[in-house]
Amino acid sequence: MSADTLEQADNENSKQSPERKKRELANALVEALARGPAAHTDKPEQSAQQPSSAGSSEGARLMRVLALGFVLRLFILTFSSDFVSKHLSTRVELGTPVTSYNRLVEGLHLAAQGISPFDGGLFHQSPLLLILFRAPFGWLPQLFSDVLFVAADVSVALMLAKIAAKKITLPSFAARPLVPGETAFYCLPSAVAMLYLFNPLTLATCLARSTIVFSHLATVCALYFGIGGQINTAVALVAVATHLSLYPAVLIAPLSLMASGLPGRSEAGPQPSSLATGAVLPLLKFVVFFVAIHALFVLLYGFKYFSATVEFTLQVADLQPNVGLFWYFFIEIFDEFRQFFIAVFQLTALAFTVPISWRFRKDPLFGS
């Protein structure tokens, strides 16, 4: 073998070794997150054990971030409850008629009296939340309800961190083109969790006890199981998230691309033929799950449930000010044009779903 050939092989190995090390570190991070923060007692004797040690260190760092976020939220809710109730719970930036904790409490009061919570005209949330909070509200102190909100919010951060760790191992991440001279960049799972947990808006939303955190949890869990190949679980969670807040239904498009099984395996991404077989089935399953959930609660509460939840959201029945634009626009518009613009506004959310998902078909997680 000539000297030029040996030099060329050495150059190729030197170029591949950083990427190989990053892949090993990524796999170690995923394994560490799956095992938990258990530390290794034996010192690594070989360089091959360094990625595993780094993964354990990152897992321990993530657990510390999650614990700090949990303690901070619970401390504020426990020792500053008056501040939270006076200054956060009623803020329109943090709650809407379909996520307000005060309206959830009203629904729990009506249910405790044997009255349908959808008869009062104030409760517009999922009956799943009534089931979840029935025991803490009826027999346990307020602390247990606070723990549910905090645990859900911290779980969102944990799932985001797991998504960040798993994304590094996806074929689409390794195969993406890089600008000459650019180095691959990825965000540590602990940094992702920290950015979520200590974001002032997400922190205030949790402290205000907005029920949107449960929709967020179902959404990020669906994405995590989707990129992991557990499409049935992901579709069921999207149906639950849609049941809670309706608009996560748009995630069924990127999940359908994940279900096709081809993103990252070919440069062109999913092909139309694969979508016809592998991606339409998740859509049908989503429809079945979604209809089954609503049919069950219609049988329990009657059609008042449907009109107080899904129809209430679609018709923009409550024009209480919030951070959105719907309330302001429909206050100003004439009544004869209301139904037309309701259709336009609601379809706008769906109009971009398929084009954006198809544009990023090689990386459905980014498209979602």
Side-chain angles (χ1 to χ4, degrees), residues 267-285:
E267 295 182 357
Q271 304 300 320
S273 59
S274 68
L275 291 178
T277 56
V280 175
L281 188 58
L283 176 60
L284 297 178
K285 292 179 180 178

Side-chain angles (χ1 to χ4, degrees), residues 202-283:
T202 55
L203 177 61
T205 301
C206 178
L207 296 178
R209 302 184 183 93
S210 173
T211 57
I212 194 65
V213 298
F214 298 100
S215 178
H216 290 168
L217 179 59
T219 300
V220 296
C221 287
L223 292 176
Y224 175 75
F225 287 113
I227 62 177
Q230 303 180 44
I231 300 300
N232 290 334
T233 304
V235 170
L237 287 170
V238 170
V240 172
T242 304
H243 169 71
L244 292 173
S245 58
L246 194 61
Y247 294 106
V250 299
L251 291 177
I252 197 61
L255 280 179
S256 296
L257 294 175
M258 296 177 190
S260 66
L262 294 178
R265 299 183 186 179
S266 64
E267 295 182 357
Q271 304 300 320
S273 59
S274 68
L275 291 178
T277 56
V280 175
L281 188 58
L283 176 60

